[in-house]
Amino acid sequence: MRTPTEGVKVINMIPFSMSSEINQDSEPFLAVDLSDTNRMVGTAFTPNPFGSSGNAPVYVTTDGGETWSLNFIVDSHGFAGTNDITVAGTMTPLRLHGSILRSPGSLLMNVLRTNNFTTPAVMGVLQSRTNVDQPFVQATTWAGTDRIYVGNNDFNAGGGKTATVDVSTDGGATFPTIRLEPRNTNSQNGPSVRPAVSGDGTVYVAYFGWRGFVNNTATSDIVVVRDDHGAMGANPFRDLLDPSDNLPGRKVATNVRIPWSNAPTLGNERIGSTLSLAVHPTNSNIVYVCWADRVGGETYTLHVRRSTDRGVTWSGDLRTVKNATCGALAVAPNGTVGFLYQQFVTDCRGFWATHLEQSSDGFQTKEEVILSYTPNATPEPKFLPYLGDYNFLFCVGNEFRGVFSASNAPVLDIFRAACGINATWISTPKNF
């Protein structure tokens, strides 16, 4: 392992003029303008620094991530901040789509859009529904029309089958609500529902099939569904069946134990929601999934598995990482897989080490870099999640770009500033 060197860039997204702020900018996300990859937008649990009312900000860069500014374009219903917020860009022309929980303590989901995230115009609302948790948006353009996929945990669903995707295949004009879970659950599915879209229009979604819940621990299946036509048909996400019951959704792992717990089980972080899915952009046969569960006496262990036949069969664990969370996967066009995660290191008071791994052979070999090494309790946590229920990693060509949150009081001289949990953008153009 090594600290960032040539070919790996780590930049604090907090604007220089705000470098003394100590907000808890947790649960970050990132999108890029594919027509000009120097333009990116980042999001996090970031309040408006100029008051407790008004719009919530996003982070914007137009110079490839070297400098960032805040743009107040998210209507957060007077709160001047958001709960969960994710973003995804499409082209022809560029549009930025977002999904948010609009205000604190509320499960009001908005799906948003803007044609230019650098202007002060507030993002418009395409879809609004209540009683929905952890919206997670991905989007693509097909034959000139945007397709938008918003994974979410929808408590409006009957029978506790809450794993849901809101899908628009007509550029945001309509958003049919699609239920994914065909099996019985223990009152609900897990909160994480993660879509991933390949270049040929194939869409995968991963979710937690909670089958039981005892002593703050879910007994869960890790389930992946697939739609071969972009969810355009009458019965979407029914193209991948499990051989055990012939129902939609391949069970990658069964009866795993997932602790659902607030701090201090893993530093100051809440655990129970780590899930990531990534599909090869030009070969939709290849798809990776990452989740975290409890193995033996360990608190939380990340697992990475792969399918090379469209989710029909899955490998065993290609990677396991103990005491880690916020796993995020991406696959480059050349087949290299990136794996971003944050590991709790229990020396002294405890620290968070943020790792990025790259492998071109399914993790038989890998290169690894430590991106940050920062205190667990600086600043003191104000709310949960402390770092976030997820990070995000994606590819621009064969370059990985990603985002994570870390304390701004480094142990190693990676960041320079006062204390704070800061959203941080990373880029690695390493090619294998």
Side-chain angles (χ1 to χ4, degrees):
M1 291 183 290
R2 53 190 172 87
T3 54
T5 56
E6 184 178 357
V8 180
K9 183 184 296 182
V10 182
I11 294 177
N12 193 332
M13 287 170 59
I14 302 299
F16 182 77
S17 62
M18 297 171 54
S19 60
S20 62
E21 64 90 30
I22 55 172
N23 294 317
Q24 192 176 312
D25 302 297
S26 54
E27 203 152 279
F29 218 74
L30 191 68
V32 66
D33 181 346
L34 294 176
S35 64
D36 180 356
T37 58
N38 286 318
R39 290 161 42 100
M40 292 182 287
V41 58
T43 61
F45 288 6
T46 300
N48 188 321
F50 303 113
S52 58
S53 63
N55 296 323
V58 298
Y59 300 90
V60 172
T61 181
T62 59
D63 59 8
E66 294 294 333
T67 60
W68 295 81
S69 61
L70 294 183
N71 193 16
F72 302 89
I73 60 173
V74 179
D75 182 353
S76 57
H77 206 54
F79 166 57
T82 67
N83 289 332
D84 302 359
I85 177 169
T86 58
V87 285
T90 57
M91 291 182 65
T92 62
L94 170 85
R95 286 173 288 268
L96 179 75
H97 301 279
S99 61
I100 68 167
L101 291 186
R102 185 163 173 165
S103 59
S106 168
L107 294 181
L108 172 63
M109 177 185 74
N110 284 173
V111 181
L112 310 174
R113 182 170 64 199
T114 178
N115 290 336
N116 190 341
F117 57 77
T118 66
T119 72
V122 175
M123 297 181 76
V125 177
L126 300 178
Q127 163 84 324
S128 184
R129 295 201 298 114
T130 60
N131 214 25
V132 177
D133 189 23
Q134 205 171 118
F136 191 101
V137 66
Q138 293 289 273
T140 188
T141 301
W142 191 265
T145 301
D146 287 349
R147 296 180 178 178
I148 309 159
Y149 306 91
V150 185
N152 58 85
N153 191 37
D154 186 359
F155 296 109
N156 300 296
K161 300 178 180 183
T162 57
T164 297
V165 180
D166 284 22
V167 174
S168 178
T169 59
D170 54 13
T174 61
F175 276 90
T177 295
I178 300 169
R179 310 298 186 195
L180 302 177
E181 177 65 273
R183 304 174 179 93
N184 294 329
T185 70
N186 183 261
S187 74
Q188 68 167 86
N189 293 108
S192 304
V193 181
R194 303 289 188 252
V197 187
S198 187
D200 65 359
T202 301
V203 184
Y204 291 88
V205 185
Y207 66 90
F208 290 126
W210 281 5
R211 310 307 177 201
F213 200 95
V214 178
N215 296 327
N216 292 323
T217 300
T219 300
S220 182
D221 298 334
I222 312 302
V223 184
V224 173
V225 300
R226 191 188 80 228
D227 192 284
D228 294 336
H229 306 285
M232 291 285 290
N235 296 294
F237 298 108
R238 299 294 187 267
D239 291 321
L240 181 60
L241 306 181
D242 194 89
S244 69
D245 55 15
N246 207 37
L247 291 175
R250 185 66 163 95
K251 292 182 279 189
V252 179
T254 61
N255 297 318
V256 301
R257 295 183 301 148
I258 300 179
W260 181 262
S261 181
N262 295 334
T265 52
L266 194 67
N268 281 317
E269 187 55 277
R270 178 178 74 190
I271 58 176
S273 192
T274 292
L275 183 65
S276 181
L277 185 71
V279 60
H280 195 298
T282 61
N283 182 357
S284 61
N285 294 328
I286 300 173
V287 58
Y288 287 80
V289 68
C290 169
W291 78 91
D293 60 28
R294 175 165 285 161
V295 178
E298 297 293 337
T299 300
Y300 213 40
T301 298
L302 289 174
H303 306 257
V304 176
R305 295 187 180 183
R306 178 182 63 179
S307 173
T308 59
D309 57 7
R310 304 183 68 74
V312 176
T313 61
W314 289 82
S315 69
D317 289 345
L318 303 177
R319 287 284 291 126
T320 58
V321 185
K322 297 178 180 179
N323 293 324
T325 188
C326 293
L329 295 166
V331 185
N334 63 11
T336 300
V337 61
F339 179 32
L340 174 68
Y341 62 89
Q342 293 179 281
Q343 186 174 37
F344 185 61
V345 182
T346 55
D347 53 343
C348 302
R349 294 172 300 164
F351 298 90
W352 286 102
T354 302
H355 297 247
L356 177 65
E357 299 179 2
Q358 298 178 84
S359 177
S360 59
D361 55 14
F363 291 100
Q364 295 181 54
T365 61
K366 61 183 174 66
E367 281 205 0
E368 183 175 0
V369 58
I370 295 179
L371 302 169
S372 71
Y373 192 72
T374 59
N376 168 62
T378 305
E380 294 183 0
K382 300 174 184 177
F383 57 84
L384 292 171
Y386 186 59
L387 300 176
D389 287 331
Y390 46 78
N391 294 321
F392 192 59
L393 189 70
F394 64 98
C395 286
V396 177
N398 286 324
E399 178 184 88
F400 290 114
R401 299 189 185 186
V403 65
F404 63 93
S405 290
S407 171
N408 211 18
V411 180
L412 303 178
D413 188 21
I414 296 175
F415 305 134
R416 297 178 183 176
C419 301
I421 295 287
N422 288 168
T424 304
W425 172 80
I426 60 172
S427 170
T428 170
K430 175 72 176 179
N431 289 321
F432 281 74

